[in-house]
């Protein structure tokens, strides 16, 4: 299509003529309805005319023309003829250009402008996996379905045993589960190694990368102006993470672990930039990767170094490990333990490695008891001076040991374990035997005697900050992290091992693992907050026919359904369900769940600013409230900033759902 040059003295908007041309001529193109619109480009000629080049992608034509089956078309086309053209598109369905944002790429989402009135959907003659967005006159869609990427790493569970496989097959009906294929991870986000796609059914079937959808629709990041919400700021300080680019600052995953992942750690921001510059083939981005794991099934993991006294106990009980690291390293560790004994905090006893390793929602965080007159800074300084170098020596000796020595000592260890009665075996010996069967002769097997072994129950969460060693062993979990895929490995893997980098980067902190204690946010909703600004996660578990409300986030959110079915209703702050829930969503300052409603006028009239705002008669009822989406296991949605959702489980169903968004305080969203 081409437009004529603008009249003398007038500027020609780069994209203004495009939609009008499409509205008149797009339906006349000889394009089958099975084709997908993948992009539109604009070119401005020297004479001032503007051209639009639309690109459609469809399946390869069959070897010989044949009539289409009845189930493919509502009105089968005879052989040799193209199917009937789709209905002519109106300007509302196509959208309008944005003269204030000149670009050489047409916004594929302008065919369904995210924040413009939604037109009645066109009925497609071809059935398929594309979700149909709900619509009603005058309403705006603020929740969009996503299709997500699957990673088939060797350690994943096979076929239908994998939660990832089942969710992926529900999320994308084009996927056929193969019983011999490992389905390891389901990725949700904008990372280029596994980008999510926005799925739209009308006016054309469009698959758009989420990154491009966000870049070309910046209004989705903005809190709706008619709600009267203030600007949000990160609790971590500084600019919002999303302000540094068009993608999401976090990556949401589901993991189905069959065999152990590598002994690994993730670099901090500075080291990530260095590794990316030096070894870009192994470290493909320059971002750090703090991560939080929330168990869906009982989930086994190794994380951070055990307390120094526990490490010494295992060394004395495992002569094979001493044979690898050397008696001098063990002696240095023992001397360090004696030196720092007066500076050692007394942490509450926790049954690491067995069920119930973390408190339930609402349980206070454990606090270390320090000897009289000792500050935490003094304790940390003493341990940094003595414990860190001793642990580092033991770990480096182990990971850099001669392979023949490692194999000989592992063979001796396995003989001893197999000759010991099962009743006398310790859990760590059982774990070492299991890992040796998965990774024979691998030095990483010895790490079970140095790192904490945890079994998380469903709903329990573990946070791994930068430079902390860990390895996931078995189970299903939801994982949220900063957007990165940087991993430094040193054991239990056939992949590239960067042993020296790993040994140098670790913190060698022998304190307890960082177990995230969730806060009670609303009925059946728990919130998991980490020390990093990139993400927080809400977990909702609703039994039908009950319902609950996820409060709005001032940032874009991703919503994932793990189990059950029900409905999701888009809500905005003036909607009555949220107004009724205001008191539970914004508890008093200093409440145990950790969220504060502190505000200059927080105590005025005895109500929080959130409760007063929801009940303010001056706030108009938003047009977008009330749009309802169907939910089932595998459903994934992107919700625009400022969108609250009401979740309702179907009768007799348990609905388990996770929402990830950037970290914020609750009062920032209102």
């Amino acid at each position: 299509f081409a437009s004529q040059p603008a009249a003398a003295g007038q500027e020609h908007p780069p994209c203004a003529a495009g939609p009008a041309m499409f509205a008149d001529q797009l339906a006349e193109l000889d394009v089958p309805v099975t084709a997908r619109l993948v992009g539109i480009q604009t070119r401005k000629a020297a004479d001032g005319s503007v051209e639009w080049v639309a690109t459609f992608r469809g399946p390869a034509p069959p070897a010989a023309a044949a009539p289409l089956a009845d189930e493919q078309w509502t009105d089968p086309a005879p052989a040799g003829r193209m199917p009937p053209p789709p209905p002519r598109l109106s300007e509302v369905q196509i959208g309008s250009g944005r003269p204030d944002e000149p670009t050489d790429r047409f916004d594929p989402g302008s065919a369904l402008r995210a924040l413009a009135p939604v037109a009645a959907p066109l009925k497609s003659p071809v059935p398929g996996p594309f979700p149909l967005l709900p619509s009603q006159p005058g309403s705006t869609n603020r929740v969009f379905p996503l299709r997500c990427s699957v990673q088939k790493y060797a350690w994943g569970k096979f076929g239908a045993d994998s939660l990832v496989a089942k969710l992926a097959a529900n999320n994308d009906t084009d996927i056929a589960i193969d019983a011999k294929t490992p389905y390891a991870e389901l990725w949700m986000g904008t990372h280029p190694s596994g980008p999510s796609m926005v799925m739209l059914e009308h006016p054309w079937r469009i698959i758009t990368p989420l990154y491009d959808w966000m870049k070309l629709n910046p209004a989705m990041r903005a809190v709706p102006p008619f709600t009267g919400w203030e600007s949000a700021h990160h609790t971590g300080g500084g600019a919002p993470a999303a302000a540094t680019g068009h993608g999401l600052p976090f990556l949401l995953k589901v993991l189905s672990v069959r065999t152990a992942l590598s002994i690994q750690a993730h670099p901090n921001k500075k080291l990530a930039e260095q590794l990316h510059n030096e070894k870009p083939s192994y470290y493909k981005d320059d971002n750090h990767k703090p991560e939080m794991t929330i168990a869906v099934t009982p989930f086994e993991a190794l994380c951070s170094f055990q307390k120094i006294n526990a490490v010494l106990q295992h060394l004395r009980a495992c002569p094979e490990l001493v044979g690898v690291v050397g008696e001098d390293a063990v002696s240095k560790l023992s001397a360090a333990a004696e030196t720092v004994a007066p500076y050692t905090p007394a942490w509450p006893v926790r049954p690491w490695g067995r069920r119930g390793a973390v408190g339930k929602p609402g349980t206070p965080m454990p606090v270390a008891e320090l000897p009289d007159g000792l500050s935490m800074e003094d304790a940390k300084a003493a341990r940094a001076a003595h414990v860190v170098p001793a642990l580092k020596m033991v770990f480096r000796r182990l990971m850099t040991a001669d392979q023949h020595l490692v194999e000989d000592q592992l063979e001796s260890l396995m003989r001893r374990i197999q000759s010991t009665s099962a009743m006398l075996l310790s859990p760590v010996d059982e774990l070492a035997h299991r890992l040796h069967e998965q990774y024979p002769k691998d030095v990483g097997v010895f790490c079970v005697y140095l790192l904490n072994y945890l079994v998380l129950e469903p709903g329990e969460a573990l946070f791994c900050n930068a430079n902390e060693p860990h390895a996931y062993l078995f189970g299903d979990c939801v994982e949220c992290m900063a957007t990165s895929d940087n991993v430094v490995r040193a054991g239990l893997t056939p992949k590239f091992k960067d042993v020296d980098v790993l040994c140098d980067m670790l913190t060698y902190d022998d304190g307890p693992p960082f177990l995230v204690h969730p806060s009670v946010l609303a009925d059946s909703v728990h919130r998991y907050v980490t020390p990093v600004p990139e993400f927080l996660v809400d977990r909702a578990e609703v039994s039908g026919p009950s319902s609950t409300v996820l409060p709005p986030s001032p940032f874009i959110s991703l919503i994932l359904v793990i189990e059950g079915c029900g409905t999701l209703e888009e809500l905005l702050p003036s909607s009555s369900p949220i107004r009724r829930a205001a008191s539970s969503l914004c508890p008093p300052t200093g409440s145990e769940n950790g969220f504060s409603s502190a505000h200059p006028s927080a105590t005025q009239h005895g109500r929080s600013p959130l409760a007063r705002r929801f009940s303010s008669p001056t706030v108009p009822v938003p047009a977008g409230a009330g749009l309802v989406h169907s939910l089932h296991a595998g459903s994934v949605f992107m919700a625009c900033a400022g969108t609250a959702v009401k979740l309702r489980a179907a009768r007799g169903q348990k609905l388990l759902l996770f929402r990830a968004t950037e970290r914020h305080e609750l009062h920032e969203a209102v």
Side-chain angles (χ1 to χ4, degrees):
F1 303 106
S3 70
Q4 298 301 319
Q10 296 181 353
E11 291 188 3
H12 195 11
C15 296
M21 291 294 180
F22 294 150
D24 293 336
Q25 301 179 31
L26 188 57
E28 300 174 8
L29 291 176
D30 191 18
V31 178
V33 294
T34 53
R36 297 170 179 170
L37 177 64
V38 295
I40 297 181
Q41 294 181 327
T42 61
R43 291 198 294 261
K44 190 171 184 178
D47 62 357
S49 64
V50 181
E51 297 178 347
W52 288 265
V53 179
T55 304
F56 294 85
R57 182 171 297 161
L68 295 171
D70 290 343
E71 64 270 19
Q72 292 179 281
W73 300 97
T74 55
D75 184 13
R81 282 181 50 195
M82 296 300 295
R88 187 179 300 274
L89 306 180
S90 69
E91 291 191 24
V92 172
Q93 289 169 322
I94 291 178
S96 58
R98 295 176 63 91
D100 58 328
E101 294 183 11
T103 178
D104 60 353
R105 297 184 59 191
F106 176 79
D107 177 6
S110 67
L112 180 65
R113 176 61 56 186
L115 302 178
V118 177
L122 303 177
K123 182 179 180 181
S124 170
V126 182
F130 282 68
L132 196 60
L133 287 174
S135 63
Q136 62 189 35
S139 297
T140 57
N141 287 106
R142 298 189 62 80
V143 174
F144 298 90
L146 300 181
R147 177 174 290 177
C148 304
S149 300
V150 178
Q151 307 292 356
K152 301 175 182 178
Y153 304 136
W155 48 261
K157 293 183 180 180
F158 288 117
D161 290 338
S162 170
L163 175 62
V164 168
K166 290 182 281 191
L167 295 177
N170 288 339
N171 179 257
D172 181 357
T173 56
D174 290 339
I175 293 179
I177 299 178
D178 180 7
K180 297 182 179 179
T181 299
Y183 297 88
E185 295 183 351
L186 183 68
W187 285 27
M188 290 146 281
T190 55
H191 195 284
S193 296
S196 297
M197 301 291 179
V198 179
M199 310 294 295
L200 299 178
E201 169 73 21
H202 65 281
W204 291 90
R205 291 188 169 183
I206 300 174
I207 303 179
T208 306
L210 178 57
Y211 180 91
D212 293 339
W213 181 256
M214 295 170 59
K215 179 180 179 180
L216 298 170
N217 293 278
M220 294 190 304
R221 291 188 183 275
V223 174
F226 52 77
T227 62
W229 297 353
E230 288 88 21
S231 298
H233 301 281
H234 279 276
T235 55
T244 60
H246 298 290
L248 292 172
F250 61 87
L251 178 62
L252 184 64
K253 295 182 181 180
V254 178
L255 274 62
S256 289
V257 181
R258 176 182 54 88
T259 61
L261 280 67
S262 57
I263 302 295
Q264 60 183 257
H266 306 300
N268 59 26
K269 182 64 176 172
K270 182 178 179 180
L271 180 57
E273 293 173 351
Q274 175 186 333
L275 294 175
H276 178 62
N277 290 331
E278 296 176 354
K279 306 172 185 178
S281 59
Y282 296 113
Y283 305 101
K284 301 184 183 298
D285 60 72
D286 61 356
N287 199 18
H288 67 163
K289 192 188 175 187
E291 62 187 29
M292 175 172 60
T293 299
I294 305 175
V296 175
T297 64
F299 192 79
E300 299 177 71
L302 297 174
C303 181
S304 67
F305 285 96
Q306 298 178 35
K307 299 175 186 177
I308 187 172
N309 291 330
V311 173
L312 283 170
Q313 265 188 316
H314 286 309
L315 285 167
R316 294 176 182 128
C318 185
E320 297 83 3
L321 178 55
V322 176
V324 175
V325 302
E327 291 281 358
D328 58 330
V330 178
S331 297
K332 183 175 181 179
L333 192 67
S334 179
E338 292 181 8
T339 301
V340 301
Y343 301 92
T344 301
W347 291 95
V349 176
R350 295 282 177 174
W352 309 124
R354 295 292 90 188
R355 299 292 190 259
V358 63
K360 299 301 179 184
T363 303
M365 289 288 289
V367 178
E369 297 179 5
L370 297 172
D372 292 339
L374 179 67
S375 68
M376 183 60 75
E377 289 71 22
D378 293 337
K380 289 181 178 179
R383 302 186 77 76
H386 301 281
V387 175
V388 169
L391 269 179
K392 187 174 184 178
M393 181 178 182
V394 170
F395 189 74
R396 181 179 286 277
R397 287 274 188 92
L398 173 63
M399 304 312 290
T400 60
D402 179 77
Q403 180 60 27
H404 294 294
L405 174 62
V406 171
E407 292 180 7
D408 290 344
Q409 294 297 338
L410 278 175
E411 184 179 351
S412 175
L413 174 62
M414 292 304 111
R415 284 199 303 266
R416 178 169 64 81
I417 290 176
Q418 291 169 357
S419 63
T420 303
S421 169
M423 296 179 61
L424 300 178
L425 280 178
S426 66
V428 70
D429 286 335
E430 294 175 354
L431 180 58
H433 185 265
R434 172 154 55 105
L435 295 185
H436 190 266
E437 289 182 335
Q438 297 174 5
Y439 299 94
K441 304 177 181 180
D442 193 298
V443 67
V445 173
F446 279 120
C447 289
V448 302
Y449 297 100
L450 305 179
L451 306 181
N452 291 294
Y453 170 44
L454 309 178
V455 182
L456 301 178
E457 288 296 318
E460 296 177 347
L462 170 69
F463 176 73
C464 291
N465 213 334
N467 304 331
E468 286 295 338
H470 61 280
Y472 300 147
L473 306 178
F474 184 82
D476 301 315
C477 72
V478 169
E479 187 180 34
C480 195
M481 65 204 69
T483 299
S484 174
D485 198 28
N486 285 327
V487 182
V488 184
R489 304 177 179 88
L492 300 182
T493 180
K495 297 181 180 179
F496 170 69
K497 300 177 182 180
D498 213 341
V499 177
D500 288 335
V501 170
L502 184 73
C503 292
D504 289 337
M505 68 186 280
L506 298 182
T507 63
Y508 296 98
D509 182 3
D510 69 331
F514 194 137
L515 297 169
V516 181
H517 293 248
S519 301
V520 179
L521 187 64
D523 290 342
S524 307
V525 180
H526 297 135
R527 171 160 289 185
Y528 300 79
V529 181
T530 67
V532 296
E534 283 86 354
F535 60 88
L536 61 78
V537 176
D538 294 329
R539 178 183 183 270
E541 186 173 356
V542 186
S543 298
S546 300
S547 63
T548 191
V549 173
L550 292 179
S553 166
F555 307 104
I556 287 178
S557 304
L558 296 184
I559 298 172
L560 161 69
V561 180
I562 293 290
E563 180 184 351
C565 59
T567 59
L568 178 153
E569 181 180 359
E570 301 180 24
L571 297 173
L572 290 172
S574 57
S575 301
S576 58
I578 304 184
R579 186 186 304 120
R580 290 194 300 267
S583 60
S584 65
L585 295 181
C586 196
T589 302
S591 60
E592 288 187 0
N593 67 12
F595 294 97
S596 171
S597 60
H599 190 277
S601 59
T603 59
Q604 182 181 2
H605 306 304
R607 292 187 300 168
S608 71
L610 175 61
R612 293 197 306 277
R613 186 178 303 280
F614 279 115
S615 59
S616 172
T618 63
V619 179
V621 176
L627 294 177
V628 178
H629 303 255
S630 295
L631 297 180
H632 56 78
S635 295
V636 182
F637 295 93
M638 182 219 73
C640 298
T643 305
V645 295
K646 180 179 181 180
L647 308 173
R648 183 177 295 278
R651 187 174 297 276
Q653 292 280 326
K654 184 185 78 171
L655 183 64
L656 178 60
L657 177 147
F658 290 84
R659 179 180 70 171
T661 187
E662 296 181 50
R663 181 180 170 185
H664 63 277
E665 292 288 357
L666 190 60
H667 72 271
E668 296 179 30
V670 296

